[in-house]
Each structure stands twice: as C-alpha cells, then as structure tokens.
Amino acid sequence: MQHIVIIGNGIYGVTLARHVRKRSDKKITVISSESDYFFSRTALMYVYMGHMKFEHTQPYENNFGKKIG
Ligand SMILES: Cc1cc2nc3c(=O)[nH]c(=O)nc-3n(C[C@H](O)[C@H](O)[C@H](O)COP(=O)(O)OP(=O)(O)OC[C@H]3O[C@@H](n4cnc5c(N)ncnc54)[C@H](O)[C@@H]3O)c2cc1C
C-alpha cells in the first residue's frame, strides 16, 4: 500500500490529507511539530482581541486525524 506523508498540519496539510482521503485509501501520516489537531494559528490574534472564540479557530473535530487516518 502506498503511504503519503504530509509535513505540517496547517490548513494546507490538512486540506491535502482530506483530498487524498476523498480520492483514495492510501495510508496518510501528517507530521506536526505542534498540536495533534488543526487550529488556525494565525487567527489566535483575533481570539486575543476578543473578536473570536478559540473554538472558532477549529474547523475540524480534534479527533479528525484519527478519523481520516
Ligand atoms: C499574522 C497573520 C495573519 C493572517 N491572517 C489571515 C486571515 O485573517 N485570513 C486568511 O485567510 N489568512 C491569514 N493569514 C495567512 C494564513 O495564515 C496562511 O495563508 C496559512 O496559514 C498558510 O497555511 P499553510 O498550511 O500553507 O502553512 P502554515 O499555516 O504555516 O502551516 C505549516 C505547518 O507546518 C509546520 N511545519 C513546517 N515545517 C515543519 C517540519 N519540518 N516538521 C514539522 N512541521 C513543520 C509548521 O509548524 C506549521 O504548523 C495570516 C497569516 C499571518 C502570518
């Protein structure tokens, strides 16, 4: 079985994983040196300014990676 390794779990890495999963059953590994789950790091400033809540920076469930596996 082919194994797709994606470095970085920013929006690009997560979107790529979603598209690979839609089109195939290839094994996917997303490597991140940050959190296990995706949140918009650059939107954090809006949370600090009180314009957004933290959960608004998380478009996917935290177990999304395990689901897409
Ligand atoms: C201050 C700021 C505000 C912004 N505001 C907006 C906005 O309001 N709206 C908007 O649409 N866009 C905004 N952007 C742009 C948006 O954040 C980027 O376009 C988007 O984050 C790019 O996504 P990405 O997945 O390509 O990269 P990134 O989000 O940078 O994700 C790359 C990930 O890869 C990881 N990584 C890199 N190298 C390695 C490695 N060797 N090993 C392991 N992990 C690695 C990094 O740690 C990071 O988590 C903003 C950007 C900044 C800096």
Side-chain angles (χ1 to χ4, degrees):
M1 179 191 274
Q2 282 186 303
H3 185 179
I4 309 271
V5 178
I6 300 168
I7 299 177
N9 72 340
I11 192 63
Y12 188 92
V14 169
T15 303
L16 177 60
R18 288 180 55 230
H19 282 269
V20 170
R21 176 53 66 243
K22 266 192 208 166
R23 289 165 175 73
S24 77
D25 287 329
K26 291 179 173 53
K27 182 175 178 182
I28 304 169
T29 301
V30 179
I31 297 175
S32 168
S33 56
E34 300 185 33
S35 55
D36 288 342
Y37 52 87
F38 172 74
F39 65 94
S40 174
R41 281 105 184 151
T42 50
L44 285 178
M45 64 179 176
Y46 303 114
V47 176
Y48 294 136
M49 289 189 294
H51 298 174
M52 287 172 80
K53 292 185 173 170
F54 180 71
E55 53 264 34
H56 297 147
T57 70
Q58 297 178 285
Y60 307 110
E61 299 161 51
N62 287 347
N63 66 349
F64 166 80
K66 287 195 178 85
K67 273 190 177 174
I68 206 168

